[in-house]
Amino acid sequence: MDLSGASALVTGGASGLGFATAKRLADAGAHVVIVDLPSSPGADRAAELEGTFAAADVTDPGQVAAAVAAASAAGPLRAVVNCAGIAPPAKVLDRDGAPTDLAHFEKIVRVNLIGTYNVIGQASAAIARTQPTDGGDRGVIVNTASVAAFDGQIGQPAYSASKGGVHAMTLPIARELARYGIRVCTIAPGIME
């Protein structure tokens, strides 16, 4: 897809895989909107790319809608990459054999799975309203699962469950959004710098 004059939205774009993705999209000619927490270096990173920073929590529908609107204002939204995620380790049982606080599991699933779903919903609504390209497509959404979705380790039940959920929802969402010319796929990286 030719991204010249288009916009791209990258969640978790202030660091790591997200920032590397944002740089690659900017190099391809897209106006990049970095979505990350207000406490992140997102504003500085966006300035490096001559893009836009949209401070948002991916689990907040209003904040994500505002970020999508900012991306749409910069050009037709054609690419969304969901890199926002957290991975604090926790076993099912702590050192004393007591169950780990359920809030820990819920937070990881909320950010990694529900946050990804929220961004997909908000962004796909905007992409579906754009004019199709000459090839008939409108855009692509790339989600980030993890090798842990398939081969989780001790201390990763919440992370593995959340990333397994991202993997599992990809095909039904791709089937649904195909009618709008929106491709949906998920990557499952392992450990990296």
Side-chain angles (χ1 to χ4, degrees), residues 72-114:
S72 296
L77 181 56
R78 299 282 185 212
V80 175
V81 184
N82 282 302
C83 292
I86 58 173
K91 295 178 180 179
V92 174
L93 301 178
D94 67 16
R95 286 190 177 137
D96 299 322
T100 301
D101 185 359
L102 185 59
H104 178 85
F105 188 96
E106 288 176 334
K107 180 178 181 180
I108 294 171
V109 170
R110 181 156 183 75
V111 171
N112 296 354
L113 178 57
I114 296 171

Side-chain angles (χ1 to χ4, degrees), residues 3 8-10 18 20-32 79-81:
L3 293 174
L9 185 144
V10 181
T21 300
K23 285 196 297 191
R24 188 73 176 264
L25 291 165
D27 289 345
H31 177 88
V32 177
V80 175
V81 184

Side-chain angles (χ1 to χ4, degrees), residues 2 23 71 74 87 119 124 157 160 162 166 170 174 186 191:
D2 181 8
K23 285 196 297 191
V119 173
S124 63
S160 293
S162 69
V166 170
T170 300
T186 293
I191 295 172

Side-chain angles (χ1 to χ4, degrees), residues 126-142:
I127 296 170
R129 291 189 297 267
T130 64
Q131 290 298 313
T133 67
D134 291 341
D137 56 341
R138 287 190 168 90
V140 61
I141 299 171
V142 180

